[in-house]
Every structure is written in structure tokens, then in C-alpha cells.
Amino acid sequence: MTQEPRRSTREAAEGYFKPHGLVEIWLEGNVLRYDAIGPFNRELVRAIALTQGDIMMTAKARGPCVEIVTIRQSALVTPDGLDELAVILGEVNQQGLAPLAVAYVIAPDVEGASLMAPLFYRRHREQGRVFKLFDRIEDAQAWADALLAAASSAEC
């Protein structure tokens, strides 16, 4: 199997203020993966938007996809970063690139996990996204696989 290209928010850093945090993005089949190391600010959320574009287009061309976002170290996001997230989710919807569903994987020992989880949930649900939180990547992957299998059988 060919190694999928990875993108990093390091490639999209722009502006006076630097992004806090780091996100790597890649495809695994029809799963769009994000490996995120926080804490995060608005500039980092903007960098995600700039970084994910071509990968999202590739995912869309493959058919239904599910996003799995793994957050490590810290889940904390500035209030303006959460606002920016809502804007970007809306833009992705308008472009027709929204995934079937989004899973966040945040272990309980990640800084701010219990504080940020309901805020992530609310932002995604406000944009019409199917959203679920997990403690373990294996559970998120099983959920994603089940959703993709159901979508595949519905297309037949």
C-alpha cells in the first residue's frame, strides 16, 4: 500500500501571531486523520484550514469519509480559536467537503479534556456534523469503519 502524503500546519504558518499547537493531516483509505498537539489558538485553526484543503478534495473524490482527530498533550483552545473552528466547519460544509462524521479521540489525562469536550461537541453539532468523542483510537476506528461500511452498502 502506498504511503499517503501528510501535511502539517507548520507549512501554513502566516501572520503576525504564530500558531500555538501542531496538527498533521493525512488520509488512511477513507479516513481523514488529524494528529493534533495542543494547546491551540486561532492562528493554528486557520493553519488547519489552509493545510487540509487538498487532502479533503482527495477524500471527497474517494467517496464518503470519516474524520478522526486525535488530540494529545492539551485539548485547550482559545475562545477565538473555537469561533474560528465554527467558521471553518461552515466553509467546509458550503464547499461540499463535510465528512459523514467526526470522531475526536481525547484520553482523559489530556489537559483540558473534560473542559473542552462539550465545547467541541457543540461546535460540530451546530454545523450539522455527526460527532462522537472517544478515549481510545481503536474505538474511534471501529466506529468510523462501521459508518463507512454502512455508507458503502447504502450506495450499492
Side-chain angles (χ1 to χ4, degrees):
M1 187 166 145
T2 306
Q3 177 68 30
E4 296 280 357
R6 288 181 178 239
R7 301 285 184 267
S8 171
T9 53
R10 279 191 202 104
E11 302 163 11
E14 62 180 34
Y16 181 74
F17 294 107
K18 299 297 177 206
H20 295 175
L22 176 68
V23 178
E24 289 192 353
I25 307 166
W26 71 99
L27 271 170
E28 288 180 358
N30 285 56
V31 177
L32 185 56
R33 297 288 311 269
Y34 294 75
D35 183 46
I37 301 170
F40 312 102
N41 63 358
R42 180 180 60 197
E43 289 74 20
L44 187 275
V45 177
R46 286 182 181 160
I48 293 168
L50 295 171
T51 304
Q52 70 186 2
D54 63 331
I55 295 176
M56 291 187 96
M57 295 293 284
T58 301
K60 180 69 172 179
R62 291 182 182 181
C65 80
V66 174
E67 290 181 5
I68 298 178
V69 179
T70 303
I71 298 179
R72 299 185 289 125
Q73 291 184 9
S74 176
L76 295 174
V77 182
T78 59
D80 61 344
L82 284 172
D83 292 343
E84 189 70 19
L85 175 63
V87 168
I88 290 165
L89 291 172
E91 289 172 354
V92 168
N93 287 348
Q94 290 175 347
Q95 296 166 5
L97 299 174
L100 284 175
V102 178
Y104 273 32
V105 180
I106 310 173
D109 63 343
V110 169
E111 178 187 36
S114 62
L115 174 69
M116 297 306 299
L119 300 175
F120 291 141
Y121 180 83
R122 187 175 87 225
R123 295 293 185 193
H124 283 79
R125 293 306 295 244
E126 287 171 350
Q127 294 299 322
R129 302 287 174 93
V130 174
F131 181 82
K132 193 163 181 179
L133 289 160
F134 296 90
D135 293 345
R136 298 174 348 112
I137 187 67
E138 297 84 3
D139 298 332
Q141 186 67 55
W143 183 70
D145 291 344
L147 290 171
L148 290 168
S152 178
S153 66
E155 289 179 349
C156 296

